[in-house]
Amino acid sequence: QPLNVNKQNIVVMNDFPYQDDTGDDGDEDMDSDDEDDMETEELAQSAPQHLQSYMEKQEALITKYVNISSHLGNYVIDVHEAEEIRSCIKFLEARAKRRRQSRAEVERAFRDASDAEKLLDLLLHSSTSQHGIQTSFVTVMDFNKVLNTWRFSTLDLRIYLKSKKGKNMKEHFEQMLRYQRRIACRCIYASQCAQRLLDQMEDLTSNGYSFLRPTQYSYETVLGSWSFSSRALNFVLRGEGKAIGALRKIPPRNTLNDNEPGLAHNPWDYPTLLDGYTLLDPAKKADELLQRLVAMEELDGSEFKVSPWAIKQTISSWVQVKTRPRRFMKLDNVGQSKGDDEEFSKQFNEELRVPARAEELLWQLVAVSNAEELDGGTVTIGNGLFRGIISSWSHSNHPDGHLNAERILTKMGELYEVGTLNTMPSPDLFNAVIGSWARRSQSMPFDAPARCTAIIKHMEGIADNNLIVHAEEGQDNSELSVKWSKFHVDEKSYLITFGAFKSALHCRELTESEDAFIIAAQADEMLQHMINRVKCGKDEARPTGEIYATVAACYGKAIEFLSEELSREHDVLKEAGVDFIGVEGHTKLTSALVRLHSLLEEMESGLGRHDANPDLSINAYTEVLRAWNNVTLHPDSQEEVLRIVTRVIDLYENGNQHLSPTSDMFDMAINTLLRNGSPANTFEAFELLQEQERLHLEGNPSCKPSIQNYRSILSAFDDKPQEVARVLKRMTVLYESNVVDELHAERGNTSLGFHELLELWQNVDKSGGDAASWAESMLLRVAKDVHESNSRCSDSTKLLRTKNFNAVIKAWLEAGEIHRAANLFDEMDELGKHPLLSDVKPDHLSFHLLIKGWTDSRSLFVGEKTVSLLERMRANNKNPSLVTFRLVLEALVHTSKDRCPGVAQAELILRNIDSKAVGREHSLRPNAKLANMVLQGWAQSKERKKGIRARALLDWMLNENRSGNPFIKPNFPSYNSVMSACVRTSKHLDPREKRRNFDIVLRTFEDLTKADHLKPGSVSYRIMLSACHALLPPGSEQQNRVKAIFQHCCRVGVVDEYLYAIFLESSDKDTFKEIMEKDHDVSYAVLPKEWKRNCKIPL
């Protein structure tokens, strides 16, 4: 039965109700075809009853034949079954074209495509099993329908992801990357499958099955799939680049399915699909298919013709490849580039040819479109393609990329004017060209901004209908003026142009004031040009606040350079004994400062706008203020800085809420006032700081006082204790008000006020004792006032916090005054009993500081003091943490004068960690790290029976682990410490005790070898050799064990230098000769490499 095929070469199913017979309309977005937008359930309810039964029947047939295809064997289908399979493929293709509204439907689309390919394989297999492939079983249309299912499986994959409000940055980037990577994997998988089918068709054709020759639609379907893959992969690489810049570290690609293990079995969700792909690869494949179509058209122009759609899709894939250094190398799992310099250079040079190829295809598309229009067709080439190629040239590292971008725009305008193109170049295209020049501003600081200015003036001429892109002298251009009548200039054009001026300021070669003044003059000239246009009624040219800020920044950079030059001149003249003429007499500097003042006046005037001007920019005021701050030698700098800050505050409080003063402004102003160190300026800076605090406490988050400002003020007041107290009070009020966040010092200190001042005291007082004494006296004086007044109404009482007392304890400890720290700790305990001073009670940190202090003091009473603190902690209903126990055990094990009692007490505490918890739902459990500290203590002690004690503790660890404590499972240090305890001090033992210790070593080593998670290493074998040497009497038993151990070490390759040295010491001449086959010493260097292969110590 002949198939019904529409113009797009897509099968129309007459027996499927509501079938869309329009097919693919060639939309380049590949997601806006004319499908029915109704969901499956809604469709089933509104359709006739036979639709539901038809769908159920098709589903059953699909399941049946997919199962058969999975176990082909010798199974052969007949003609009737072949027709059923082909109808299933039609059904799957039709369903693939329908828009999917849920994730489940998207997943089903990929399963449908996979099932369609399996059904096609079944047709091919059964047909081949009989008498060769026959048209009654499979046709080229069946292949095309399967290609369609793969292409349309990506129909509703959106590569854009909108961020939701309230989502933190890390979560947003991780979700974005997971989303984009999954889409790219699926697009690449679909493209690979489609490409594989196309190659199979070509192979079958070359084997004599000409009726399976791919059609033009076959090639275009695969080409479109690769084009979409190029776009999806571009978003992955861009997303990874942004995430690395924001997070510094991103999830590896192989973690794609960690949160959704149910997708891991899908072949289209394998993260390895992205490995080895660069943006060049999909573009190359799309271009290769286009070249095949060109070759086919040359061979058979009746059936093959390169369509504009195919060229568009190929261009679209090429323009995704915008050159970013090392961005498009093959990527590893963290999104970083890898590959040697030669490979990078090769690919980099290849990427430089990308925009040229895209442009070549563009003009080819223009020619094809003209030919089709001559034949009566209509082809529209939108601005999007031109913009993509201009952007490709713009982003490339080609030295003439900006010139090529402008050349394309010029040629497009010429073609539009002569009628070859029916699309007028949009302002966005001009903006793209301006942007291409702006990107070169850092390397071309004079030419690039000037060219941007020329282009935007050219745009203004076109919009004013007095300038045509391509006009000849004496020609009547009235018709062309009509064609350009809808052209306009938007605000974005001016912003990009001034962005070029701002970028030019960062040129590395820009180091002299003369060059900076040239850029400033160009920017100012453009600003005046815009103002004149506004006066002529061109409101789109109205300068924004950011434009004024850019001009101010240009003058500010020039003033900065000039100020540095004048400062150097001042220093040279001063050294030579010659008077400096002064900066106020410098004409260029004076005129620049005057111009900055007038810039702010022009911006505030708003060209006639109302007082609350939304175009006012805080950045403009900041740039002017920075310029005055840089003029260190100007006598009026302090006055002007204060005037600007005061003006901004007035504007802010008079309705311009967007003009919020910033911390940066206050920082520069305070720095300027404190520059000469005069008392009057210091008090004026303090008043300005108070004004900043007021604004911030009233709810302005952008002017939070910086810690550096407080440091500067306190340093200026270093000889005025009363003023220091004032600053301290204000800092404390600001911190405790809970309106602002904690101010962070540069070293990561979250302290404010008291802590900061204590740190300053400590910086001045190198011993630390005076600082701690001052801080302690202040805290105790305030506490005494509370006791006497029985009130906490004073602001100073806010200092009475446990964290402040802890800071003083730490200061005493750093000064080496453990007893003063202990006395203050006792004071805290007493003060905390007062109902108004409950905030002063010692906390966990207080106990930890003092325990650590006693440990570091090496006092004779360390054990007694630390155990006493542990008991006091429990008495105060403060459950010790693992940190507490670690500090106590460390004190008992490592600092007791007589280690034996200290270690025994440490073991007792370890065994009872979870027996005295107060009100704890889940008691702490001893862990292997704590137990190993005690085991090491036994190994280092002088106890005669320390081997027995260490083994007993190890047995306790094993029992605890078997009883359900997973944290105390013995590890290497555990077993090695027990064996070391048996070997050490062996020379003081009698033979019977040595044999007992050796038995313990042997049993412990056997337990180590039986542990399922451990494997003996060099250290363990060293201890075994040492045990044989130290604990066994000389003789055959000793030498046999030494030989057996060393030979085993040789076999497993763990013979390091230390182990070999012990072997030399432990073995006699006969044993040594038997193993080494030599009767003299052999150096470690000449030992076989096999003996050393698993050594961790460098050879």
Side-chain angles (χ1 to χ4, degrees), residues 775-835:
E776 180 179 340
S777 63
M778 174 176 287
L779 292 178
L780 294 181
R781 185 177 67 251
V782 175
K784 182 180 178 182
D785 293 340
V786 173
H787 261 290
E788 293 177 352
S789 64
N790 201 27
S791 171
R792 290 195 58 163
C793 58
S794 173
D795 288 338
S796 60
T797 59
K798 295 177 181 178
L799 292 174
L800 299 178
R801 296 287 186 270
T802 300
K803 65 177 182 179
N804 292 338
F805 281 86
N806 288 343
V808 182
I809 290 176
K810 184 179 179 182
W812 279 125
L813 294 176
E814 291 176 351
E817 297 287 347
I818 178 61
H819 294 285
R820 295 294 299 269
N823 292 337
L824 182 58
F825 181 87
D826 295 336
E827 287 282 353
M828 291 176 64
D829 207 6
E830 287 297 322
L831 290 173
K833 298 176 182 179
H834 193 283

Side-chain angles (χ1 to χ4, degrees), residues 815-968:
E817 297 287 347
I818 178 61
H819 294 285
R820 295 294 299 269
N823 292 337
L824 182 58
F825 181 87
D826 295 336
E827 287 282 353
M828 291 176 64
D829 207 6
E830 287 297 322
L831 290 173
K833 298 176 182 179
H834 193 283
L836 294 179
L837 297 175
S838 58
D839 294 341
V840 184
K841 289 181 179 180
D843 59 6
H844 281 79
L845 180 58
S846 310
F847 284 95
H848 293 170
L849 284 172
L850 201 55
I851 293 172
K852 186 68 168 61
W854 279 114
T855 302
D856 295 339
S857 70
R858 302 293 176 179
S859 170
L860 298 177
F861 309 102
V862 170
E864 177 185 344
K865 295 294 185 181
T866 53
V867 173
S868 174
L869 286 170
L870 180 62
E871 294 303 322
R872 286 178 65 177
M873 194 174 188
R874 285 169 169 161
N876 290 343
N877 294 331
K878 293 188 180 299
N879 287 318
S881 64
L882 289 177
V883 176
T884 311
F885 286 111
R886 179 179 61 79
L887 293 171
V888 172
L889 295 182
E890 180 183 359
L892 290 171
V893 170
H894 297 293
T895 60
S896 297
K897 181 179 179 181
D898 186 356
R899 292 184 181 275
C900 299
V903 177
Q905 194 171 18
E907 181 176 344
L908 181 62
I909 292 174
L910 173 69
R911 290 175 180 258
N912 293 279
I913 281 181
D914 58 350
S915 63
K916 294 184 178 181
V918 180
R920 190 191 297 275
E921 295 182 1
H922 303 285
S923 300
L924 292 178
R925 294 182 177 185
N927 56 39
K929 186 175 182 180
L930 298 178
N932 288 343
M933 292 176 63
V934 181
L935 286 173
Q936 291 170 7
W938 279 122
Q940 296 168 4
S941 72
K942 298 178 182 179
E943 169 66 33
R944 193 178 186 88
K945 297 182 179 181
K946 60 183 182 181
I948 299 175
R949 298 294 299 267
R951 179 64 207 194
L953 182 55
L954 178 63
D955 291 336
W956 175 79
M957 292 174 65
L958 291 170
N959 290 332
E960 286 290 310
N961 180 248
R962 286 191 290 267
S963 299
N965 183 358
F967 308 109
I968 203 169

Side-chain angles (χ1 to χ4, degrees), residues 677-827:
S678 67
N681 285 351
T682 302
F683 281 99
E684 200 164 8
F686 183 44
E687 292 177 359
L688 189 60
L689 179 62
Q690 291 176 324
E691 183 69 10
Q692 183 182 6
E693 292 172 345
R694 179 188 69 80
L695 290 171
H696 191 51
L697 290 173
E698 290 177 356
N700 186 343
S702 63
C703 60
K704 178 175 68 175
S706 68
I707 201 70
Q708 187 58 43
N709 280 348
Y710 284 113
R711 287 176 180 271
S712 301
I713 297 292
L714 289 169
S715 297
F717 283 147
D718 59 351
D719 58 343
K720 299 178 177 62
Q722 294 181 348
E723 300 306 326
V724 168
R726 287 180 61 193
V727 177
L728 170 62
K729 180 179 178 181
R730 299 198 64 83
M731 292 170 69
T732 308
V733 171
L734 182 65
Y735 175 64
E736 296 292 343
S737 67
N738 211 21
V739 175
V740 297
D741 298 330
E742 295 182 357
L743 299 182
H744 296 270
E746 295 176 356
R747 292 183 296 277
N749 182 16
T750 58
S751 61
L752 176 69
F754 180 80
H755 293 249
E756 181 67 20
L757 189 56
L758 178 58
E759 181 183 341
L760 291 173
W761 270 92
Q762 288 176 306
N763 290 338
V764 176
D765 174 29
K766 301 303 181 182
S767 66
D770 291 343
S773 178
W774 168 84
E776 180 179 340
S777 63
M778 174 176 287
L779 292 178
L780 294 181
R781 185 177 67 251
V782 175
K784 182 180 178 182
D785 293 340
V786 173
H787 261 290
E788 293 177 352
S789 64
N790 201 27
S791 171
R792 290 195 58 163
C793 58
S794 173
D795 288 338
S796 60
T797 59
K798 295 177 181 178
L799 292 174
L800 299 178
R801 296 287 186 270
T802 300
K803 65 177 182 179
N804 292 338
F805 281 86
N806 288 343
V808 182
I809 290 176
K810 184 179 179 182
W812 279 125
L813 294 176
E814 291 176 351
E817 297 287 347
I818 178 61
H819 294 285
R820 295 294 299 269
N823 292 337
L824 182 58
F825 181 87
D826 295 336
E827 287 282 353

